[in-house]
Every structure is written in C-alpha cells, then in structure tokens.
C-alpha cells in the first residue's frame, strides 16, 4: 500500500535534518494524542530520574493511544517533545527510533520546560496523526484483540 502521507525532509532553502521531516501532509482522519508521560497503567511513574526508562514508557503509552484510535506510528505527522532538560533528547530519539524503524520521521518540535505536571517526570510527548480513510474501522470494539503499536484492529 502506498502511504497516505507525504514527507518533505527539506523544502528549498531549508537545511535537511536526519532527526525529523520539515513538512508532512496527507489525507485521512485526524487524531490528536494528548501529551503522554511515563505513567504505567495504574498511574505510577516509571523510571523516576531515568530519562531512558521514561522515554520508553512514554512511547509505549503513545503506541497504546494510537492503537486505540486505529492508528500506528506510520500515521504520525507531528510529535512535540517537552523535556525538563535537553540532555534527555538522545533518550527520546532512541525510544522514538525503536517505534519508527523503517518509517519516515514526522515533523517535530522539542521544548525545554522548567517542570511538568509532577516533579519526578522528565518527558512529555504529544502526537498528531492522519489515519487513512477506512470505512471498516469504527473505533475500539469489545471482544477485539489489538496488536499494540500496529494501529490496526485484529479480529479474534
């Protein structure tokens, strides 16, 4: 299947970056994912003081949110990273790359903030996605298995 997204790594006159696409556009159903932090399913912080563990948990949470919307990382057009220290960005990039392997990187922004909602949190990431129009997808269904991170419903 041909991608429903177009990635433009560098418009004329803009220096290319290996870390993101400068422009991404496409067609489909818009999905906005609120900023995700390193909380587990019970609301406990994962990896207090550890940016690598927190980045992994944040991307796992993003995967679950995208999956719930019938989307996957291949549908993401924009990520916004909020970090309490820009020194955490390599950990964020490593976690991101594990989920975007073989997929063009989305547009992105990184912002250092003085604090997040709780003092032990180091990273928050929000995502925007465009999911191909697919009349067969109607949202999460009871009794349906979902392969986390695939963005597609798998029937039992």
């Amino acid at each position: 299947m041909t991608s429903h997204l177009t990635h433009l790594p560098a418009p004329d006159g803009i220096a290319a970056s290996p870390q993101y696409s400068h422009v991404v556009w496409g067609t489909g159903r818009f999905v906005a994912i609120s900023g995700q932090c390193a909380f587990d399913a019970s609301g406990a912080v994962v990896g207090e003081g550890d940016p690598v563990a927190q980045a992994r948990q944040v991307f796992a949470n993003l995967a679950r949110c995208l999956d719930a919307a019938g989307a996957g990382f291949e549908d993401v057009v924009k990520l916004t990273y909020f970090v309490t220290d820009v020194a955490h960005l390599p950990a964020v990039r490593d976690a991101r790359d594990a989920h975007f392997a073989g997929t063009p990187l989305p547009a992105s922004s990184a912002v250092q903030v003085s604090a997040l909602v709780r003092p032990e949190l180091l990273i928050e990431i929000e995502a925007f996605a465009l999911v191909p129009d697919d009349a067969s997808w109607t949202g999460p269904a009871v009794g349906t298995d979902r392969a986390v991170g695939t963005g597609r419903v798998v029937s039992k």
Side-chain angles (χ1 to χ4, degrees), residues 79-118:
L79 292 170
T80 305
Y81 312 113
F82 302 95
V83 295
T84 57
D85 186 333
V86 294
H88 302 325
L89 287 175
V92 170
R93 289 185 191 115
D94 287 346
R96 177 206 60 200
D97 291 349
H99 289 276
F100 281 89
T103 302
L105 293 175
S108 66
S109 299
V111 181
Q112 181 172 317
V113 296
S114 61
L116 294 168
V117 68
R118 290 187 33 192

Side-chain angles (χ1 to χ4, degrees), residues 28-121:
R29 183 171 41 86
F30 179 73
V31 177
I33 306 294
S34 292
Q36 296 297 302
C37 294
F39 293 117
D40 66 14
S42 68
V45 174
V46 172
E48 186 170 342
D50 182 352
V52 172
Q54 287 200 16
R56 287 181 185 148
Q57 182 65 42
V58 169
F59 274 94
N61 291 348
L62 286 169
R64 288 180 183 94
C65 291
L66 288 163
D67 191 58
F73 284 103
E74 70 276 7
D75 301 308
V76 173
V77 296
K78 176 75 163 70
L79 292 170
T80 305
Y81 312 113
F82 302 95
V83 295
T84 57
D85 186 333
V86 294
H88 302 325
L89 287 175
V92 170
R93 289 185 191 115
D94 287 346
R96 177 206 60 200
D97 291 349
H99 289 276
F100 281 89
T103 302
L105 293 175
S108 66
S109 299
V111 181
Q112 181 172 317
V113 296
S114 61
L116 294 168
V117 68
R118 290 187 33 192
E120 63 270 33
L121 294 171

